[in-house]
Amino acid sequence: MAFLSNLINGLSLGSIYAIIALGYTMVYGIAKMLNFAHGDVIMIGAYVSFVSIYSLGTPPLLALLIAMCVCTILGVVIERLAYRPLRSAASLAVLITAIGVSYLLQNIALLLWTANTKVYPSIVEFEPLHFGGLTITGETIVSILACIVIMVGLTLFTGKTKTGKAMRAVSENRQAAELMGISVNRTITITFAIGSALAAVAGVLYCSMYPVLIPTTGSIPGIKAFTAAVLGGIGSIPGTLVGGLLLGIIEIFGKAYINQELSDAIVFAVLIIILLVKPNGLMGKKVTEKV
């Protein structure tokens, strides 16, 4: 029973990692850049929902929608002001800018909400399910269901809609897409907006499971989600799902059966081993560049 409980907890945590990792994999797949400020957008979303619930007295679902709207606007602003001017710059310049944006968001949160630890209220109002000696919390159920719905919805969006097809075209060949009349800047902006909205969802779910909120709350989940994206194959939506779930299961089982303090080291060790065997990740595609 303990094994099954740990497996379910791992799937729940992995679902949140997968939702966060979607922001990384979408931006990298389309804009070919790594947005290391994504983890801090998660934190902003959690703070906005926290303020909405405690200060404005909004219902949890409305607080989530407000957080999604704020993070969507934030993602668009970050892309427009920080990343678009560097579209043709070296990748190192973009990376340094992303790190700078990350620290900027953390310090803004520090100024607005101070460094005091806040206890985040769970937005999930479902009662736990009991099966014999197994208890499944409402947060676990909602996290897994949210991940499934988001993955299916995003897959249908990219495969069936005009905007989704434009995203795939820009990902495949930016210059050719532009020649076909697709606005590359608009497509990348929409990508940031979607990824940032999903970051708000992930931030609320993560803080509902682990109810501690500080300005650096998004740092570790952001790094682990990036690891999940690389593990599954960054740029691949199915790979992101597999990587996130696998990462969550490894982390929970590492804490339960090996050593709680070494769980993070175990996660990154598995990543290194898999990348040594399959450098493009579990479901990543090998890209051949012509010169």
Side-chain angles (χ1 to χ4, degrees):
M1 195 63 71
F3 176 87
L4 186 57
S5 177
N6 287 324
L7 177 61
I8 294 173
N9 289 335
L11 291 173
S12 175
L13 180 60
S15 296
I16 296 175
Y17 286 155
I19 296 172
I20 301 172
L22 279 173
Y24 288 108
T25 204
M26 289 178 65
V27 170
Y28 181 81
I30 294 170
K32 296 296 182 289
M33 60 159 290
L34 297 174
N35 178 23
F36 279 113
H38 189 64
D40 299 289
V41 177
I42 299 166
M43 173 268 298
I44 295 294
Y47 266 114
V48 170
S49 61
F50 178 87
V51 171
S52 298
I53 293 171
Y54 270 107
S55 299
L56 303 179
T58 59
L61 183 58
L62 180 57
L64 172 61
L65 293 176
I66 293 173
M68 291 177 67
C69 291
V70 171
C71 286
T72 299
I73 295 171
L74 178 62
V76 171
V77 171
I78 290 173
E79 189 278 329
R80 182 65 184 87
L81 298 182
Y83 296 139
R84 186 178 297 185
L86 300 175
R87 191 84 80 225
S88 301
S91 57
L92 181 60
V94 179
L95 177 62
I96 293 172
T97 300
I99 295 172
V101 172
S102 173
Y103 280 109
L104 175 63
L105 293 178
Q106 288 182 23
N107 281 274
I108 289 174
L110 189 63
L111 289 172
L112 292 176
W113 297 295
T114 73
N116 296 331
T117 300
K118 293 175 174 55
V119 179
Y120 191 90
S122 175
I123 68 162
V124 179
E125 299 177 347
F126 297 158
E127 292 296 324
L129 299 180
H130 302 279
F131 300 96
L134 179 65
T135 300
I136 304 176
T137 64
E139 289 82 5
T140 297
I141 297 170
V142 171
S143 297
I144 295 174
L145 289 178
C147 180
I148 294 172
V149 170
I150 288 171
M151 289 293 175
V152 172
L154 197 57
T155 300
L156 292 175
F157 174 78
T158 56
K160 302 294 184 181
T161 66
K162 183 178 180 180
T163 302
K165 291 177 181 178
M167 288 179 176
R168 292 167 57 193
V170 173
S171 174
E172 190 70 28
N173 190 312
R174 187 182 300 180
Q175 288 75 24
E178 202 162 15
L179 290 173
M180 296 298 294
I182 296 173
S183 173
V184 173
N185 285 335
R186 177 177 175 273
T187 302
I188 293 176
T189 298
I190 292 173
T191 303
F192 268 84
I194 294 173
S196 299
L198 295 180
V201 175
V204 169
L205 291 174
Y206 184 83
C207 288
S208 294
M209 289 182 62
Y210 303 97
V212 174
L213 183 56
I214 55 177
T216 55
T217 289
S219 298
I220 297 302
I223 292 173
K224 289 181 179 178
F226 173 70
T227 302
V230 175
L231 183 63
I234 192 164
S236 166
I237 293 177
T240 298
L241 175 61
V242 172
L245 295 179
L246 184 59
L247 194 79
I249 291 171
I250 292 172
E251 181 175 338
I252 295 298
F253 274 77
K255 289 180 178 178
Y257 297 111
I258 302 177
N259 188 295
Q260 188 164 357
E261 285 73 23
L262 292 177
S263 61
D264 290 346
I266 294 169
V267 165
F268 291 112
V270 171
L271 171 69
I272 292 170
I273 293 170
I274 290 179
L275 290 182
L276 287 174
V277 177
K278 202 172 188 312
N280 297 304
L282 295 175
M283 300 182 69
K285 296 179 181 179
K286 186 176 181 179
V287 179
T288 303
E289 294 186 1
K290 296 181 180 180
V291 287

